[in-house]
Amino acid sequence: MTVCRLAASLTAILLVFSSCSFNYTEGEGEGKILPEMVISGAQATRYEDARVSMVFSADTLEVYDSERVWAGEDVSFVEYDSDDASSIAVEGSAGMMLIDDKNEVYSLGNSATFYMKKDDIRLSAPDIKWTKKINRIAGSELGIVEIREEDGSIIQGAGFTADTLKREFLFSRDVSGSMILGEGTAADAAAEDAAAGDTAAEDTASHEE
């Protein structure tokens, strides 16, 4: 794993966190932001309206109180349903994770998994960003995201975005896989870039319940 330090601003942290491991001995000096707290073998619980809304665990957890940011290494989390605190809504894990608590943005990197229990959809990707306030999940532009659904459908591609409220997702390129339609009928969703040289054909796959 590439070793690098957290950058001197939240923006920089968001850009570099997925390829970094924590290191507090490099780059010390003026302008460097250090966490208020560093915890090994951490488990944090978040409460909303006196109920548990999230449980987060990490081998190493950095807490930046002034920015309301948590940064974790080798992490997992469980988000509970807002209407039923005993029901799991979302589960995830990653080699690195950044939580922007103020804006409710969860960035997972270094091999990420994301499971939406209500829809029984599992995502795996090099990195995934979940913006909870706008119900949006996205992969990186070139990162391959794989989706597995309960009915056996498996689709993968790049340029992934999803609307968790509308239960829709799409890929913008390099799409392949198979989708189960109706009762046991498999529709081949294979697609690939058809262009050569400077011109590329964009393939899009979408899904809507």
Side-chain angles (χ1 to χ4, degrees):
M1 181 185 294
T2 302
V3 177
C4 48
R5 62 184 180 276
L6 291 177
S9 68
L10 176 58
T11 301
I13 290 173
L14 287 167
L15 290 173
V16 306
F17 89 99
S18 63
S19 63
C20 297
S21 61
F22 301 146
N23 190 313
Y24 307 105
T25 61
E26 293 184 358
E28 294 180 353
E30 187 177 353
K32 181 180 180 182
I33 291 180
L34 291 174
E36 282 83 2
M37 189 180 301
V38 179
I39 308 170
S40 297
Q43 179 167 305
T45 302
R46 178 179 178 181
Y47 291 87
E48 292 180 359
D49 299 325
R51 299 190 306 175
V52 174
S53 62
M54 173 181 282
V55 176
F56 171 86
S57 62
D59 281 0
T60 304
L61 177 65
E62 295 182 346
V63 179
Y64 297 81
D65 281 339
S66 60
E67 300 281 357
R68 290 179 60 185
V69 167
W70 300 353
E73 189 170 34
D74 293 328
V75 305
S76 63
F77 73 93
V78 176
E79 173 95 1
Y80 290 93
D81 194 305
S82 59
D83 297 321
D84 181 1
S86 65
S87 178
I88 294 173
V90 177
E91 293 179 297
S93 64
M96 300 285 287
M97 183 174 180
L98 186 72
I99 298 178
D100 177 355
D101 190 52
K102 181 179 180 180
N103 296 304
E104 294 188 83
V105 177
Y106 306 81
S107 301
L108 293 76
N110 284 8
S111 186
T113 63
F114 199 88
Y115 174 49
M116 292 174 284
K117 188 172 182 179
K118 184 176 182 179
D119 300 307
D120 201 10
I121 294 177
R122 298 180 184 273
L123 310 180
S124 58
D127 50 79
I128 297 171
K129 183 177 181 180
W130 177 30
T131 308
K132 186 178 177 183
K133 284 183 177 180
I134 60 173
N135 307 297
R136 185 175 187 268
I137 302 173
S140 60
E141 182 180 354
L142 300 178
I144 298 297
V145 175
E146 180 184 85
I147 297 177
R148 293 177 176 266
E149 297 194 57
E150 182 183 16
D151 61 8
S153 298
I154 302 175
I155 305 173
Q156 65 179 20
F160 170 81
T161 57
D163 186 319
T164 59
L165 185 61
K166 295 180 179 179
R167 299 182 185 176
E168 298 175 348
F169 66 79
L170 64 84
F171 296 93
S172 66
R173 57 188 296 168
D174 303 332
V175 186
S176 64
S178 61
M179 181 179 292
I180 307 301
L181 302 177
E183 296 183 4
T185 302
D188 199 7
E192 61 182 17
D193 288 339
D198 295 330
T199 304
E202 183 179 81
D203 301 308
T204 303
S206 64
H207 166 75
E208 178 176 358
E209 285 193 1

